[in-house]
Amino acid sequence: MWNGSGSLARLGRRSLTRGLVTGGSGTGPLSDNSPHDARRDVLGPRRVDRPPHQKALRPGARQETLREANLLLITEEIFASSAPLSRADLSVRTGMTRSTVSRLVDDLLAAGIVREDSPVIGPARGRPAVPLRPARKTLAGLGVEVNVGFMGARVLDLTGSVLAEAIVEADYRDSDPVQVLHAAGELAVQVAEQAVSAGARVVGTVLALPGLVASDGRSLLLAPNLGWKDVDVVELLCASVGRAAFGHFVTVVNEAKLAALAVAQELTEADGQEQTFLYISAQMGIGSAVVIDGVVEAGPHGWAGELGHMPVEPSGPECNCGSSGCLEVYAGKHALLKAAGLGPAATAGDLMQRVQTPGHGAGDPSEAVARAGWALGVALSGAMNVLDVHDIVLGGEFGPLTEILRPLIEEQLSRRVLASPWAEFRVRESGIGLAPATTGAAMRALRAVVEAPQAWVPAR
């Protein structure tokens, strides 16, 4: 389970991902008519060839626009700071007058976005400073995940604390999306209701799925290991329970991208600086993502980083995706366990035990792991030659196997990465626990608050 103890300081960044939508269709503070479209990753005017009738291409700033921009700046400063800031600190950092900062902070307090700590008396004479922190148990994000071996839901508040969660293990290979998504919707509502009973309000929901997601943020194009294709996921998720419990938007994002977002948060807290790495995780198949300076790079369609379907041997075994010789058929959990003579319900711990005590049962566990490490090294070498990223984070079922996979991967990196004589490779375990994509999904939902704080301020 997610420990829920970490601060979500990275919510104060202007962007957490590039190429992923944040919100979905709906009404309320984050509807299409909202002054801030919080579904976008980078705030700014869209580029168009010709402006709509009677609408300026680059409109001048109005008083309301300036206020919204200042409120956004204050919010980001509070969330990005490693230590609580006072109103005076914010005035110095932003160059705004103290009276302007005070009015903006009052709005954030009223919206439940920040809270005040006990006053701190400093060495100088004058009023004690009142530290400002992200608010607890007020606004919350709901993250939902459906994967091959489980479904889960998790609610985080603005401090990163888990308000409610549930994980249900099951086999969803070649499943019926209607039945599974109805069940996921019911599970999500149960978890959301627990958070509401604790005093929180769910702002929105992000659903994580292991497959290609359409750019509309509501449809799944293909999930080979689930056996799903061309599914209106948002419609099915909400069909049996309605939209109200999911907040102001529901959107769907690739599972590995969201897991990488949660991993980036953990690694940034541990190392004290933004991280650049390739994240690769084994569930039944293989999910992966590229993180550059703490930002998940998803590409213009949100499809970047699909290392699981990079060909290792073009004439190799057929993959569920329809191609052949993909990394997944050598190093995916199903392929790895099968080659080791273990059933699909076995874990990485079971595989480790077979490697350490060979000679029992069918299959060759040591050879299976060696082949998986070789395939991972080949695929990651190609990615490194293209991206110039030399840090690898192993998640999911790969995590517990890191110690035996590391030398196998590094051997291929040294052979195949052109810059290997001058590069320093690092292969490490994420250590983030079960269902990290549910955490990343909840973070994505909460980002909508930080990107558009004005939308949550009560009307005067």
Side-chain angles (χ1 to χ4, degrees):
M1 295 294 181
W2 178 255
N3 59 34
S5 61
S7 165
L8 291 187
R10 297 187 66 255
L11 286 179
R13 294 199 50 162
R14 184 55 59 95
S15 181
L16 296 179
T17 60
R18 276 190 279 269
L20 300 181
V21 294
T22 303
S25 59
T27 58
L30 302 181
S31 70
D32 290 332
N33 296 323
S34 173
H36 280 291
D37 184 353
R39 290 170 294 178
R40 302 178 59 208
D41 291 310
V42 181
L43 299 180
R46 290 182 173 88
R47 294 297 302 272
V48 293
D49 294 331
R50 187 184 301 273
H53 181 58
Q54 293 183 338
K55 184 177 288 187
L57 180 61
R58 299 184 66 185
R62 298 172 289 110
Q63 185 66 31
E64 295 85 352
T65 306
L66 289 173
R67 183 175 176 280
E68 291 162 6
N70 287 338
L71 193 65
L72 171 64
L73 179 58
I74 291 294
T75 305
E76 289 182 334
E77 286 291 332
I78 293 172
F79 276 80
S81 178
S82 58
L85 300 176
S86 68
R87 290 168 175 80
D89 295 329
L90 290 168
S91 178
V92 172
R93 288 187 176 217
T94 64
M96 300 181 205
T97 65
R98 291 199 182 190
S99 60
T100 298
V101 168
S102 292
R103 287 194 298 270
L104 295 172
V105 168
D106 287 345
D107 284 343
L108 295 177
L109 291 168
I113 296 174
V114 302
R115 61 186 169 92
E116 294 179 321
D117 266 358
S118 300
V120 176
I121 300 176
R125 305 175 74 179
R127 292 182 180 180
V130 179
L132 300 166
R133 297 179 184 269
R136 292 195 183 105
K137 297 182 180 180
T138 53
L139 302 177
L142 172 58
V144 184
E145 179 178 1
V146 175
N147 217 308
V148 177
F150 66 92
M151 68 171 61
R154 184 172 286 141
V155 179
L156 301 183
D157 68 9
L158 289 165
T159 70
S161 297
V162 176
L163 302 184
E165 64 179 347
I167 305 291
V168 177
E169 295 186 0
D171 186 352
Y172 296 117
R173 289 175 294 175
D174 299 319
S175 57
D176 180 355
V178 176
Q179 294 181 359
V180 173
L181 288 169
H182 283 188
E186 292 169 358
L187 179 69
V189 169
Q190 292 172 13
V191 172
E193 287 175 346
Q194 294 177 37
V196 171
S197 67
R201 176 162 63 111
V202 174
V203 301
T205 301
V206 176
L207 170 64
L209 290 176
L212 292 181
V213 176
S215 57
D216 63 5
R218 61 175 296 121
S219 305
L220 178 75
L221 300 176
L222 179 67
N225 291 311
L226 292 175
W228 298 1
K229 185 177 182 180
D230 296 326
V231 180
D232 188 340
V233 177
V234 171
E235 180 67 27
L236 294 177
L237 184 73
C238 304
S240 63
V241 292
R243 293 289 294 264
F246 294 99
H248 295 286
F249 58 85
V250 182
T251 190
V252 57
V253 176
N254 173 265
E255 165 267 335
K257 309 298 187 295
L258 293 170
L261 180 60
V263 170
Q265 164 72 19
E266 287 293 293
L267 296 181
T268 297
E269 286 190 359
D271 291 0
Q273 60 184 3
E274 297 293 357
Q275 304 289 305
T276 293
F277 59 92
L278 293 171
Y279 174 74
I280 187 160
S281 170
Q283 299 298 337
M284 193 55 65
I286 290 178
S288 54
V290 182
V291 180
I292 307 294
D293 291 333
V295 177
V296 179
E297 297 283 355
H301 301 98
W303 304 337
E306 287 290 341
L307 292 184
H309 297 286
M310 179 178 289
V312 175
E313 287 183 322
S315 59
E318 185 176 351
C319 180
N320 284 337
C321 71
S323 184
S324 60
C326 297
L327 172 62
E328 195 167 287
V329 302
Y330 300 101
K333 178 185 175 182
H334 178 70
L336 186 54
L337 293 177
K338 183 178 180 180
L342 296 170
T347 65
D350 298 327
L351 178 58
M352 284 288 292
Q353 186 175 5
R354 285 291 311 277
V355 170
Q356 293 166 357
T357 56
H360 300 284
D364 187 338
S366 296
E367 175 60 26
V369 171
R371 190 157 180 79
W374 164 81
L376 282 165
V378 171
L380 288 165
S381 295
M384 285 187 174
N385 279 325
V386 172
L387 298 171
D388 188 28
V389 175
H390 300 141
D391 198 350
I392 299 166
V393 178
L394 301 180
E397 297 293 338
F398 287 147
L401 302 174
T402 299
E403 291 303 315
I404 57 176
L405 287 174
R406 181 184 290 114
L408 300 168
I409 293 172
E410 290 178 342
E411 179 183 0
Q412 297 303 317
L413 298 181
S414 297
R415 286 186 58 196
R416 301 174 186 275
V417 176
L418 182 63
S420 61
W422 305 276
E424 181 179 348
F425 303 122
R426 180 163 61 162
V427 180
R428 51 179 167 161
E429 180 182 356
S430 71
I432 200 171
L434 183 62
T438 58
T439 296
M443 289 175 62
R444 286 295 303 171
L446 283 172
R447 179 65 190 172
V449 176
V450 179
E451 285 183 338
Q454 177 61 38
W456 307 95
V457 176
R460 294 181 181 275

